[in-house]
Amino acid sequence: DTAVSQTPKYLVTQMGNDKSIKCEQNLGHDTMYWYKQDSKKFLKIMFSYNNKELIINETVPNRFSPKSPDKAHLNLHINSLELGDSAVYFCASSQGRTAYEQYFGPGTRLTVT
Amino acid sequence: EDQVTQSPEALRLQEGESSSLNCSYTVSGLRGLFWYRQDPGKGPEFLFTLYSAGEEKEKERLKATLTKKESFLHITAPKPEDSATYLCAVQAPGGFKTIFGAGTRLFVKA
C-alpha cells in the first residue's frame, strides 16, 4: 500500500506552459505539505494545509497555487512555467499541525525546457 | 535567521568503519530536531525525532544525539546499504514549518 503518492513522477514541459501535480495520502493524516528540492538538494517548504486550511505559505511566486479538495489530497498547479521551476517537488503528510514525523511521497521531477 | 548546517557534505567509509554526521542549528526555541534518510530518486524517510538536549535515540546501526546547539548521527559498523543522504531538520517556533539542512551524502564501500 502506497502511503503518499504523487503523479506524475516525471514532467517535462516547455516554458510558459501550465501544469499540475497531484498528491494523495492514505494515512489518515490531517496535514499535507509541498516541498521543493533544488539541484543542490535543499528541501524547502512551499505550502502546508491542515484540514484543508492553508497554514504555511512561504515566499513562493503566485504562479504556484495549491489546492486541497479534502484532507487526503493536495494538488499543486503551476502557471507560466519558467526554467527556474525545474526541480523535484515532494508532497508530504503528517498528523497534527505541528509538523512532526512527516511521510514523503516519491517526488515529481519537473524539467522546464 | 533559523538555520541548519550539516557537515561533512559527503562522507566515504569502508564497511565496518564507524563515524558521525554533524548537524548544527540556530533556531530560537527548538521544538524538535529530525533526522531523515533519502535514497536516490526517492522521498525522505523519517528516522528520529529529538526534543531536548541530552536525548538519544537508536535504530539498528544508527544513534542520534542532541545538544543545545547540534545533533550527531552516529553510524556504527556501517554496511553498503546504509549509503544514502541523511537530512537533518528542525521545527521552527510556531510549530508549523520544518527547516531542512542540505544533507550529508554517505557512501559505504564493501
Side-chain angles (χ1 to χ4, degrees):
Chain A
D1 285 347
T2 302
V4 182
S5 59
Q6 294 179 229
T7 54
K9 186 160 176 62
Y10 299 97
L11 188 53
V12 181
T13 188
Q14 292 185 329
M15 285 175 54
N17 285 347
D18 303 338
K19 291 292 179 185
S20 292
I21 306 172
K22 295 186 176 182
C23 177
E24 177 181 1
Q25 55 94 4
N26 63 6
L27 298 168
H29 289 164
D30 59 4
T31 305
M32 297 184 73
Y33 312 82
W34 277 114
Y35 285 88
K36 178 180 180 181
Q37 189 170 46
D38 59 24
S39 56
K40 294 185 179 180
K41 304 299 183 184
F42 260 110
L43 204 58
K44 292 190 71 174
I45 183 76
M46 299 173 68
F47 303 103
S48 176
Y49 274 78
N50 173 254
N51 284 319
K52 302 198 301 176
E53 175 194 356
L54 182 64
I55 58 172
I56 296 175
N57 186 354
E58 286 296 285
T59 309
V60 175
N62 57 16
R63 298 181 294 102
F64 290 79
S65 53
K67 283 191 179 173
S68 181
D70 56 55
K71 287 195 307 183
H73 296 85
L74 180 61
N75 303 322
L76 183 65
H77 187 76
I78 315 170
N79 289 326
S80 302
L81 278 154
E82 300 178 358
L83 292 176
D85 298 332
S86 295
V88 181
Y89 292 84
F90 287 100
C91 177
S93 72
S94 69
Q95 182 56 35
R97 296 165 68 97
T98 51
Y100 286 142
E101 181 176 338
Q102 295 181 37
Y103 290 80
F104 283 80
T108 295
R109 181 174 292 277
L110 172 65
T111 303
V112 183
T113 62
Chain B
E1 182 185 348
D2 301 329
Q3 199 168 347
V4 178
T5 304
Q6 292 188 245
S7 62
E9 286 188 18
L11 181 61
R12 298 180 185 274
L13 300 174
Q14 288 291 127
E15 184 172 5
E17 180 186 1
S18 301
S19 187
S20 296
L21 313 182
N22 177 265
C23 170
S24 62
Y25 61 90
T26 53
V27 62
S28 52
L30 180 72
R31 298 175 69 98
L33 183 140
F34 316 101
W35 284 97
Y36 286 82
R37 169 188 170 131
Q38 186 173 22
D39 292 299
K42 295 189 176 181
E45 176 188 347
F46 173 79
L47 292 173
F48 305 109
T49 303
L50 302 167
Y51 295 102
S52 57
E55 189 174 0
E56 298 182 353
K57 292 213 174 148
E58 288 189 63
K59 181 179 180 179
E60 297 181 358
R61 294 176 292 282
L62 300 176
K63 183 167 90 170
T65 61
L66 180 64
T67 72
K68 288 189 176 179
K69 292 188 176 181
E70 56 191 352
S71 176
F72 293 93
L73 185 65
H74 307 277
I75 303 177
T76 302
K79 298 183 177 181
E81 53 262 42
D82 294 323
S83 298
T85 295
Y86 290 86
L87 300 170
C88 174
V90 298
Q91 189 176 52
F96 300 154
K97 190 168 81 168
T98 304
I99 301 167
F100 280 83
T104 293
R105 294 181 65 191
L106 175 66
F107 303 91
V108 182
K109 188 175 178 182

